[in-house]
Structures are given as C-alpha cells and as structure tokens.
Amino acid sequence: MAEQLDRLQKVIARSGVTSRRKAEGLIEEGRVTVNGEVVKTLGTKVRPSDRIEVEGIPLENPDKVYILFHKPTKVITSVSDDKGRTVVTDYFPQLKERIFPVGRLDYETSGLLLLTNDGEFANQMTHPRYKIKKKYVAKLKGYLLREEVKQLEKGIMLDDGKTAPAQVKVKSQDRDKNSTLVEITISEGRNRQVRRMFAHFGHEVVKLSRIEYGPLNLKGINAGDARELSPHEVKMMRNMAQNQS
Ligand code: URA
C-alpha cells in the first residue's frame, strides 16, 4: 500500500512542537532536515517513514505536547475541580490532546508550571531521583535572619524528613514593614515545601511565585499566558533529569 504524503510544515505542526506558521519559519531558516538533508522548500511532501529532525531533534513523538504556563494565583493545579473553580487546563480549550500538569503549584502560588500529555516526561520531571532545581521568589512576614538562611542552606527537619540543601538569597528586607523578599532554590517537590520551610522559623509566606524550572524561566510570559517548549528545550530537560539521576 502506498504511504500517505503530507506537507512538511503540517507534519511538524501536528507533532505538537510548534505552530504551522512557526514550522514554516524553521523550514525556511534551514533548521529542518528530512532523512539527513536540509529542506528549505515549503510544501515539501514527506512520508510517515521519513526521518524528520527539527534543530537536530527527531520528531519521534508526533502526538506529544509540552507547554510552559504562567499559572496565576487562585487557579487549581488539576484537570478538573468538583467545586467548579478554575483549573489550569481551562486555559487550553483549543487543545485536543489531554494534557495534565507536571507536579503542582498551590492555589495561592503563581508561576512556572509545565503541562504535557507525555507521562514519561512528567515522571522524569517530578521523580525525586531526578533533582530538577526550582527557583521561587517569596515574600515573607518577618525578618529572615542570617542564621535561618544558613540552616535552610544546610537542610532543616520538617515533619516529613530533612530537606535537601537549598540556595537562599535575600533580595530585600524592610524592618518597618516587617517583611523579607527572598529567592529560594530547591531540588525537591514536597507538598507546600517552600511555605513549610519558612513556617519552620515562624515566617508566613504572603506571596509565592515559581520563577524558574531547571533552565526554563518565565521571560516574556505574563500570568495566564503560555508557550510551547521547543524540541531543544524538551530534549534539554530530559537530558538534565537523566544526568542528575
Ligand atoms: N512550595 C510551596 O509551598 N508551594 C508551592 O506551590 C510550590 C512550592
């Protein structure tokens, strides 16, 4: 039986790595190869058996989707909510793929959240064995002491065990307003971990946002907005997880 031919940009777009318009740009820039040859002609027909690479990365997961989302506060990290509250997948009504969040951010926490339909990728990102670093910015009640920073950096005992060493950077402190703005980077993902780490010293977290997830950040993405990860970024995230196992 003859194999079905399809236009290259359509196949790339259908693979979930980018939009058709962006796929056209990638082709014209010479960043796409078919069976090892650079193809710059839009509309080139390809067969399912052709080996297509975008930026050197094979299109091996045609139905996989990877999204970087800037979650606003007051949105549930779930695909449904029995109380009818807004959930993260409500932001993607146009997607036919059944995506789900990678790990979770609290209802009151904003920031970088990945969504995908690739269970293996989600597992790699969240498994404690793969120590992906996550950076948060937190506004705390009270004045974070140097000694407290040192203890957080070494690890502290919470009710579910000792925390791994964290990186902590105080950005500003206001004695009059009795508040501290701090960045904290952790490699674990326990429930409400950052809030509990500061609560250990009596500091309530009044605002919390995740600003980095491994090499990914929120540059150019406002709360409620999203973008797809590039094939290169997906590959980088996978490699990072594997190298840290
Ligand atoms: N730590 C928290 O306390 N909350 C989050 O949402 C993420 C990390």
Side-chain angles (χ1 to χ4, degrees):
M1 196 167 51
E3 284 186 288
Q4 193 197 333
L5 290 167
D6 254 327
R7 290 157 80 83
L8 182 54
Q9 60 266 39
K10 187 171 161 195
V11 174
I12 295 172
R14 208 171 48 208
S15 76
V17 296
T18 189
S19 67
R20 191 183 297 203
R21 198 169 47 77
K22 288 199 181 134
E24 288 174 354
L26 291 169
I27 293 168
E28 286 176 329
E29 287 162 22
R31 290 153 80 184
V32 176
T33 58
V34 178
N35 302 325
E37 300 285 324
V38 172
V39 170
K40 290 185 167 182
T41 313
L42 291 181
T44 298
K45 297 277 177 64
V46 290
R47 296 180 171 79
S49 56
D50 285 333
R51 199 165 44 83
I52 301 165
E53 293 187 359
V54 177
E55 295 173 343
I57 296 158
L59 281 196
E60 53 194 321
N61 291 323
D63 304 319
K64 297 287 189 274
V65 183
Y66 306 88
I67 293 168
L68 183 161
F69 177 49
H70 186 164
K71 175 190 150 344
T73 57
K74 307 203 186 310
V75 176
I76 310 258
T77 305
S78 179
V79 296
S80 66
D81 181 53
D82 50 13
K83 297 193 185 102
R85 292 170 296 184
T86 306
V87 296
V88 288
T89 47
D90 289 342
Y91 284 81
F92 306 94
Q94 76 286 4
L95 268 190
K96 57 181 186 333
E97 291 84 3
R98 291 160 74 86
I99 54 166
F100 51 85
V102 175
R104 68 183 285 280
L105 290 176
D106 303 332
Y107 186 63
E108 292 294 350
T109 302
S110 63
L112 199 162
L113 181 73
L114 297 178
L115 294 112
T116 184
N117 60 350
D118 183 341
E120 191 199 332
F121 177 82
N123 184 42
Q124 284 187 323
M125 294 306 110
T126 51
H127 197 287
R129 189 170 71 221
Y130 308 119
K131 296 183 177 56
I132 306 243
K133 287 189 174 170
K134 285 142 287 201
K135 188 190 270 190
Y136 296 82
V137 57
K139 187 175 173 195
L140 314 178
K141 267 196 193 156
Y143 207 82
L144 190 69
L145 301 174
R146 195 169 297 176
E147 178 51 33
E148 294 168 341
V149 169
K150 272 197 199 150
Q151 287 191 39
L152 288 165
E153 284 173 341
K154 271 200 271 179
I156 54 167
M157 190 53 82
L158 297 180
D159 53 13
D160 54 357
K162 193 173 177 200
T163 60
Q167 287 154 267
V168 182
K169 196 169 171 187
V170 173
K171 302 298 285 180
S172 61
Q173 296 195 283
D174 190 325
R175 276 208 193 273
D176 295 337
K177 289 193 187 136
N178 195 30
S179 77
T180 299
L181 192 69
V182 60
E183 281 180 1
I184 179 162
T185 305
I186 59 172
S187 55
E188 301 163 290
R190 300 191 220 165
N191 193 29
R192 299 180 69 81
Q193 183 166 343
V194 172
R195 292 177 197 275
R196 290 190 293 130
M197 285 169 82
F198 289 117
H200 179 82
F201 299 105
H203 300 295
E204 186 193 340
V205 172
V206 289
K207 213 169 169 189
L208 184 62
S209 183
R210 182 154 72 194
I211 56 171
E212 288 178 17
Y213 195 104
L216 305 173
N217 61 49
L218 285 174
K219 262 181 214 134
I221 313 285
N222 295 325
D225 287 346
R227 68 169 176 87
E228 285 194 34
L229 295 188
S230 69
H232 177 70
E233 287 173 321
V234 174
K235 178 108 175 174
M236 188 165 63
M237 296 300 286
R238 281 191 200 283
N239 286 347
M240 202 177 52
Q242 274 152 12
N243 291 337
Q244 287 174 352
S245 64

mmCIF file of all heavy atoms in Angstrom, residues 79-97:
data_model
loop_
_atom_site.group_PDB
_atom_site.id
_atom_site.type_symbol
_atom_site.label_atom_id
_atom_site.label_comp_id
_atom_site.label_asym_id
_atom_site.label_seq_id
_atom_site.Cartn_x
_atom_site.Cartn_y
_atom_site.Cartn_z
ATOM 1 N N VAL A 79 -6.898 18.918 36.460
ATOM 2 C CA VAL A 79 -7.633 18.952 35.192
ATOM 3 C C VAL A 79 -9.130 19.142 35.421
ATOM 4 O O VAL A 79 -9.886 19.378 34.480
ATOM 5 C CB VAL A 79 -7.381 17.677 34.346
ATOM 6 C CG1 VAL A 79 -5.919 17.586 33.938
ATOM 7 C CG2 VAL A 79 -7.789 16.419 35.106
ATOM 8 N N SER A 80 -9.573 19.020 36.690
ATOM 9 C CA SER A 80 -10.988 19.278 36.999
ATOM 10 C C SER A 80 -11.123 19.599 38.479
ATOM 11 O O SER A 80 -10.233 19.274 39.276
ATOM 12 C CB SER A 80 -11.836 18.053 36.656
ATOM 13 O OG SER A 80 -11.472 16.989 37.512
ATOM 14 N N ASP A 81 -12.230 20.239 38.827
ATOM 15 C CA ASP A 81 -12.449 20.576 40.236
ATOM 16 C C ASP A 81 -13.925 20.391 40.564
ATOM 17 O O ASP A 81 -14.784 20.954 39.875
ATOM 18 C CB ASP A 81 -12.022 22.032 40.491
ATOM 19 C CG ASP A 81 -12.214 22.409 41.946
ATOM 20 O OD1 ASP A 81 -11.704 21.667 42.818
ATOM 21 O OD2 ASP A 81 -12.896 23.408 42.223
ATOM 22 N N ASP A 82 -14.190 19.609 41.603
ATOM 23 C CA ASP A 82 -15.604 19.321 41.899
ATOM 24 C C ASP A 82 -16.341 20.544 42.441
ATOM 25 O O ASP A 82 -17.571 20.556 42.479
ATOM 26 C CB ASP A 82 -15.744 18.105 42.834
ATOM 27 C CG ASP A 82 -14.852 18.206 44.053
ATOM 28 O OD1 ASP A 82 -14.326 19.314 44.299
ATOM 29 O OD2 ASP A 82 -14.673 17.185 44.751
ATOM 30 N N LYS A 83 -15.586 21.583 42.849
ATOM 31 C CA LYS A 83 -16.261 22.795 43.317
ATOM 32 C C LYS A 83 -16.414 23.827 42.193
ATOM 33 O O LYS A 83 -16.837 24.956 42.422
ATOM 34 C CB LYS A 83 -15.485 23.420 44.477
ATOM 35 C CG LYS A 83 -15.403 22.528 45.700
ATOM 36 C CD LYS A 83 -14.917 23.322 46.907
ATOM 37 C CE LYS A 83 -14.713 22.417 48.106
ATOM 38 N NZ LYS A 83 -13.295 22.102 48.326
ATOM 39 N N GLY A 84 -16.013 23.449 40.989
ATOM 40 C CA GLY A 84 -16.211 24.331 39.838
ATOM 41 C C GLY A 84 -15.227 25.494 39.762
ATOM 42 O O GLY A 84 -15.434 26.450 39.002
ATOM 43 N N ARG A 85 -14.133 25.420 40.512
ATOM 44 C CA ARG A 85 -13.145 26.502 40.440
ATOM 45 C C ARG A 85 -12.295 26.341 39.172
ATOM 46 O O ARG A 85 -12.244 25.259 38.587
ATOM 47 C CB ARG A 85 -12.244 26.473 41.691
ATOM 48 C CG ARG A 85 -12.988 26.848 42.956
ATOM 49 C CD ARG A 85 -12.159 26.578 44.189
ATOM 50 N NE ARG A 85 -11.886 25.151 44.347
ATOM 51 C CZ ARG A 85 -11.243 24.613 45.366
ATOM 52 N NH1 ARG A 85 -10.787 25.383 46.324
ATOM 53 N NH2 ARG A 85 -11.046 23.312 45.435
ATOM 54 N N THR A 86 -11.652 27.452 38.791
ATOM 55 C CA THR A 86 -10.823 27.420 37.572
ATOM 56 C C THR A 86 -9.642 26.471 37.773
ATOM 57 O O THR A 86 -8.960 26.524 38.806
ATOM 58 C CB THR A 86 -10.293 28.835 37.272
ATOM 59 O OG1 THR A 86 -11.409 29.712 37.221
ATOM 60 C CG2 THR A 86 -9.548 28.887 35.953
ATOM 61 N N VAL A 87 -9.413 25.620 36.793
ATOM 62 C CA VAL A 87 -8.256 24.716 36.832
ATOM 63 C C VAL A 87 -7.311 25.076 35.682
ATOM 64 O O VAL A 87 -7.720 25.753 34.735
ATOM 65 C CB VAL A 87 -8.687 23.227 36.722
ATOM 66 C CG1 VAL A 87 -9.536 22.813 37.906
ATOM 67 C CG2 VAL A 87 -9.407 22.940 35.407
ATOM 68 N N VAL A 88 -6.072 24.624 35.787
ATOM 69 C CA VAL A 88 -5.063 25.058 34.805
ATOM 70 C C VAL A 88 -5.432 24.674 33.366
ATOM 71 O O VAL A 88 -5.180 25.439 32.432
ATOM 72 C CB VAL A 88 -3.638 24.546 35.149
ATOM 73 C CG1 VAL A 88 -3.086 25.275 36.347
ATOM 74 C CG2 VAL A 88 -3.600 23.041 35.363
ATOM 75 N N THR A 89 -6.067 23.528 33.182
ATOM 76 C CA THR A 89 -6.380 23.107 31.805
ATOM 77 C C THR A 89 -7.504 23.952 31.186
ATOM 78 O O THR A 89 -7.695 23.915 29.970
ATOM 79 C CB THR A 89 -6.724 21.599 31.745
ATOM 80 O OG1 THR A 89 -7.647 21.313 32.796
ATOM 81 C CG2 THR A 89 -5.493 20.747 31.909
ATOM 82 N N ASP A 90 -8.225 24.722 32.016
ATOM 83 C CA ASP A 90 -9.244 25.638 31.453
ATOM 84 C C ASP A 90 -8.605 26.664 30.522
ATOM 85 O O ASP A 90 -9.292 27.281 29.710
ATOM 86 C CB ASP A 90 -9.973 26.406 32.571
ATOM 87 C CG ASP A 90 -10.906 25.503 33.364
ATOM 88 O OD1 ASP A 90 -11.234 24.423 32.860
ATOM 89 O OD2 ASP A 90 -11.290 25.885 34.483
ATOM 90 N N TYR A 91 -7.294 26.877 30.662
ATOM 91 C CA TYR A 91 -6.608 27.868 29.825
ATOM 92 C C TYR A 91 -6.300 27.333 28.423
ATOM 93 O O TYR A 91 -5.794 28.070 27.586
ATOM 94 C CB TYR A 91 -5.306 28.325 30.502
ATOM 95 C CG TYR A 91 -5.568 29.295 31.639
ATOM 96 C CD1 TYR A 91 -5.958 28.834 32.888
ATOM 97 C CD2 TYR A 91 -5.463 30.670 31.442
ATOM 98 C CE1 TYR A 91 -6.231 29.714 33.926
ATOM 99 C CE2 TYR A 91 -5.727 31.550 32.465
ATOM 100 C CZ TYR A 91 -6.115 31.072 33.701
ATOM 101 O OH TYR A 91 -6.394 31.946 34.712
ATOM 102 N N PHE A 92 -6.587 26.048 28.172
ATOM 103 C CA PHE A 92 -6.227 25.455 26.871
ATOM 104 C C PHE A 92 -7.417 24.760 26.212
ATOM 105 O O PHE A 92 -7.338 23.574 25.862
ATOM 106 C CB PHE A 92 -5.051 24.476 27.061
ATOM 107 C CG PHE A 92 -3.890 25.116 27.757
ATOM 108 C CD1 PHE A 92 -3.745 25.009 29.138
ATOM 109 C CD2 PHE A 92 -2.990 25.888 27.055
ATOM 110 C CE1 PHE A 92 -2.705 25.641 29.803
ATOM 111 C CE2 PHE A 92 -1.943 26.528 27.708
ATOM 112 C CZ PHE A 92 -1.800 26.405 29.078
ATOM 113 N N PRO A 93 -8.526 25.491 26.019
ATOM 114 C CA PRO A 93 -9.724 24.835 25.472
ATOM 115 C C PRO A 93 -9.523 24.358 24.033
ATOM 116 O O PRO A 93 -10.199 23.442 23.585
ATOM 117 C CB PRO A 93 -10.794 25.942 25.537
ATOM 118 C CG PRO A 93 -10.030 27.207 25.549
ATOM 119 C CD PRO A 93 -8.717 26.926 26.237
ATOM 120 N N GLN A 94 -8.573 24.978 23.314
ATOM 121 C CA GLN A 94 -8.389 24.645 21.890
ATOM 122 C C GLN A 94 -7.593 23.356 21.694
ATOM 123 O O GLN A 94 -7.570 22.829 20.592
ATOM 124 C CB GLN A 94 -7.701 25.823 21.168
ATOM 125 C CG GLN A 94 -6.209 25.991 21.414
ATOM 126 C CD GLN A 94 -5.843 26.543 22.804
ATOM 127 O OE1 GLN A 94 -6.704 26.754 23.663
ATOM 128 N NE2 GLN A 94 -4.563 26.772 23.037
ATOM 129 N N LEU A 95 -6.946 22.864 22.764
ATOM 130 C CA LEU A 95 -6.089 21.679 22.597
ATOM 131 C C LEU A 95 -6.905 20.406 22.589
ATOM 132 O O LEU A 95 -7.706 20.177 23.494
ATOM 133 C CB LEU A 95 -5.101 21.596 23.767
ATOM 134 C CG LEU A 95 -3.736 22.227 23.638
ATOM 135 C CD1 LEU A 95 -2.874 21.800 24.810
ATOM 136 C CD2 LEU A 95 -3.055 21.850 22.333
ATOM 137 N N LYS A 96 -6.690 19.573 21.589
ATOM 138 C CA LYS A 96 -7.439 18.312 21.575
ATOM 139 C C LYS A 96 -6.723 17.239 22.408
ATOM 140 O O LYS A 96 -7.340 16.305 22.878
ATOM 141 C CB LYS A 96 -7.694 17.841 20.150
ATOM 142 C CG LYS A 96 -6.461 17.653 19.301
ATOM 143 C CD LYS A 96 -6.831 17.212 17.903
ATOM 144 C CE LYS A 96 -5.645 16.859 17.029
ATOM 145 N NZ LYS A 96 -4.367 17.494 17.312
ATOM 146 N N GLU A 97 -5.419 17.431 22.614
ATOM 147 C CA GLU A 97 -4.692 16.455 23.430
ATOM 148 C C GLU A 97 -5.089 16.602 24.901
ATOM 149 O O GLU A 97 -5.359 17.703 25.361
ATOM 150 C CB GLU A 97 -3.168 16.657 23.317
ATOM 151 C CG GLU A 97 -2.591 16.309 21.973
ATOM 152 C CD GLU A 97 -2.699 17.440 20.975
ATOM 153 O OE1 GLU A 97 -3.182 18.524 21.363
ATOM 154 O OE2 GLU A 97 -2.324 17.245 19.811
#
